[in-house]
Amino acid sequence: MPILLQHLFAIGGFHGILLFCLLTIGNENTKANKILGVWCLFLGLFFLGILVNVQTSLNFFSFFINWNVYLPASFGALLYLYCRQAITDRRFSYIDILHILPVLSCYLLNIDDLFTSAEMKLAWATEPADTNYVFSLSQWITYSQAFIYLGFSFQMVYKYQREAKNNLANFNPEIFRWIWILLILTLSVWSFKLVSSSETLYFLSVISDLIIIFLIYGVALAQWRNPKLFKINQIEEIITSIQDTKANNVQANSSSSRSLDSSTRESILTRVKQFMDDEHAYKDSNLNLLGLSELIGVSTHHLSEALNQHEGKNFYQFINDYRVNYVQKMLAQEQTTKILDLAMTAGFSSKSTFNAVFKQTTGLSPTQYRQTLSNISD
């Protein structure tokens, strides 16, 4: 193995252990932090284990040859659990124990080889024999769990993003963009690993190692600095409420789940707009679809349908259009008032959410928009 690559693995290994300590020690660390910390630890041990595996002489660490090989069988579950906890901070349940099965099965299948003598391990590492079926099965489990859990993660994040847009008005849309980037890059890492089994494509394996080091450790540092980096407030409660409502509708065969005709949708939309104009409900930073439906006296299903099919907007777009319009009007009237103060009055809960939503709606940052108004007035 090239010296440069050995140095890379050594640095990556020690950084993984360091990040594990940072993300797991201290009461301020969330469940997502701790899951990411375990992922960093396993990743660090995996890279350090590679350095042990390439040693050509017997030493203190020779017994640990191959112990790192099966750690990646846990990476899929750790990614899935991290994304889930980062978004919702959901409580763990007993069923979550099942997520250790892939990595546990790999170690149990190879337990004889793992506990063999250091001399035999060194001989295998320096002059590897033909791959046996147990090792091949372990490799199959490792790659299968990675792509299966990636599928679960894509599905879960898509569900959370859809429900957030349909039911919440105050979350930073950039959160999901970064999570999608994390998932897509992780998919590319495993794809590179899968096709790099031949010696001619070994460089793809090196590229994937570089990507995973910078990706996971970068996310870990960001998560450590901001433990609620990807947290979506109210999302778990909203999804639980929706599931309960659907269950009740199915059980009672409720008519509230039936589609509305065009005139009824228009009537509901008129009522909602009148309520927003009269009561300025959008200024409530905790407003969600359930709360608004209770205020105007219609079901969440019918309100969502009226917005989506008649107005062509989800709840997130509908409410934030009012908020952005309010800020735009106030910027034209109040040249000296701080932009952030206007944003908070409009109902936004944070500067980052306001900036992202405002630029998404207008194509300009709030500062650029105010400057444009100043240029027009001049």
Side-chain angles (χ1 to χ4, degrees):
M1 177 183 294
I3 295 296
L4 181 60
L5 202 55
Q6 292 186 37
H7 288 167
L8 174 67
F9 287 159
I11 294 171
F14 286 115
H15 280 178
I17 295 172
L18 175 62
L19 287 168
F20 166 73
C21 296
L22 292 175
L23 290 166
T24 56
I25 298 174
N27 295 329
E28 70 280 1
N29 283 311
T30 63
K31 296 186 187 75
N33 285 43
K34 294 174 182 178
I35 293 171
L36 193 55
V38 172
W39 192 1
C40 288
L41 175 64
F42 286 2
L43 192 59
L45 293 176
F46 174 73
F47 287 130
L48 291 177
I50 292 175
L51 300 180
V52 173
N53 292 354
V54 299
Q55 298 302 309
T56 58
S57 60
L58 198 64
N59 57 55
F60 173 79
F61 298 101
S62 297
F63 175 77
F64 298 100
I65 290 174
N66 289 345
W67 276 89
N68 70 309
V69 173
Y70 310 107
L71 287 174
S74 66
F75 292 174
L78 289 171
L79 170 68
Y80 172 80
L81 292 173
Y82 167 68
C83 289
R84 190 188 74 180
Q85 295 306 127
I87 296 172
T88 69
D89 202 26
R90 179 195 298 181
R91 297 178 65 179
F92 285 107
S93 62
Y94 288 114
I95 199 171
D96 288 324
I97 298 174
L98 297 176
H99 294 301
I100 70 171
L101 288 179
V103 65
L104 181 61
S105 62
C106 287
Y107 278 100
L108 290 176
L109 284 170
N110 295 275
I111 193 167
D112 291 339
D113 291 335
L114 292 173
F115 283 97
T116 192
S117 65
E119 290 80 4
M120 291 187 66
K121 287 187 175 184
L122 182 62
W124 183 90
T126 53
E127 297 181 10
D130 293 336
T131 302
N132 58 46
Y133 78 93
V134 173
F135 181 79
S136 298
L137 177 59
S138 302
Q139 290 294 94
W140 181 85
I141 292 173
T142 298
Y143 284 104
S144 296
Q145 63 85 34
F147 288 104
I148 289 172
Y149 271 109
L150 272 168
F152 289 159
S153 300
F154 274 95
Q155 183 182 39
M156 175 187 64
V157 173
Y158 172 76
K159 180 185 75 171
Y160 284 141
Q161 185 176 32
R162 182 191 62 203
E163 298 300 347
K165 288 182 176 180
N166 288 337
N167 295 276
L168 302 177
N170 247 333
F171 69 93
N172 188 344
E174 294 294 307
I175 286 176
F176 286 106
R177 185 170 73 90
W178 287 111
I179 292 178
W180 284 120
I181 290 174
L182 170 63
L183 293 178
I184 291 170
L185 287 176
T186 304
L187 175 62
S188 69
V189 166
W190 282 105
S191 299
F192 286 165
K193 284 288 187 184
L194 186 62
V195 301
S196 64
S197 55
S198 65
E199 293 184 3
T200 56
L201 295 176
Y202 177 73
F203 72 96
L204 289 178
S205 180
V206 177
I207 292 175
S208 66
D209 289 336
L210 289 172
I211 293 174
I212 199 69
I213 287 175
F214 290 110
L215 174 64
I216 302 307
Y217 293 171
V219 173
L221 285 171
Q223 183 78 38
W224 173 62
R225 294 178 61 185
N226 181 6
K228 296 185 178 180
L229 179 65
F230 296 136
K231 182 76 166 62
I232 304 293
N233 293 325
Q234 300 179 323
I235 186 64
E236 190 65 20
E237 294 86 349
I238 285 293
I239 290 178
T240 301
S241 175
I242 291 171
Q243 291 172 342
D244 291 342
T245 301
K246 287 181 178 179
N248 292 336
N249 286 344
V250 171
Q251 184 176 1
N253 194 24
S254 173
S255 62
S256 64
S257 61
R258 298 173 186 170
S259 296
L260 301 171
D261 57 64
S262 178
S263 61
T264 304
R265 289 198 300 268
E266 185 174 0
S267 174
I268 291 175
L269 194 60
T270 300
R271 194 192 319 174
V272 173
K273 289 182 175 180
Q274 188 65 47
F275 183 80
M276 299 299 285
D277 291 335
D278 293 345
E279 303 297 333
H280 306 293
Y282 56 87
K283 292 185 178 182
D284 179 3
S285 61
N286 294 316
L287 184 67
N288 55 47
L289 182 71
L290 178 61
L292 182 59
S293 67
E294 291 175 348
L295 288 172
I296 63 174
V298 298
S299 71
T300 55
H301 175 79
H302 288 166
L303 176 57
S304 181
E305 182 182 340
L307 294 177
N308 280 275
Q309 295 190 24
H310 198 90
E311 185 73 0
K313 297 177 181 179
N314 53 46
F315 180 76
Y316 167 84
Q317 293 169 319
F318 180 76
I319 298 300
N320 282 316
D321 278 352
Y322 274 95
R323 290 173 175 169
V324 171
N325 287 336
Y326 174 84
V327 173
Q328 286 177 301
K329 291 178 182 178
M330 296 307 295
L331 284 173
Q333 299 173 16
E334 303 286 345
Q335 297 296 322
T336 59
T337 306
K338 290 182 178 179
I339 296 177
L340 185 58
D341 291 341
L342 297 177
M344 297 298 106
T345 303
F348 289 102
S349 59
S350 69
K351 181 179 179 180
S352 59
T353 299
F354 166 62
N355 287 338
V357 172
F358 192 93
K359 188 166 186 178
Q360 188 180 65
T361 305
T362 66
L364 298 172
S365 70
T367 303
Q368 290 172 332
Y369 186 84
R370 169 169 270 181
Q371 185 62 45
T372 300
L373 294 177
S374 299
N375 293 337
I376 293 174
S377 61
D378 293 342

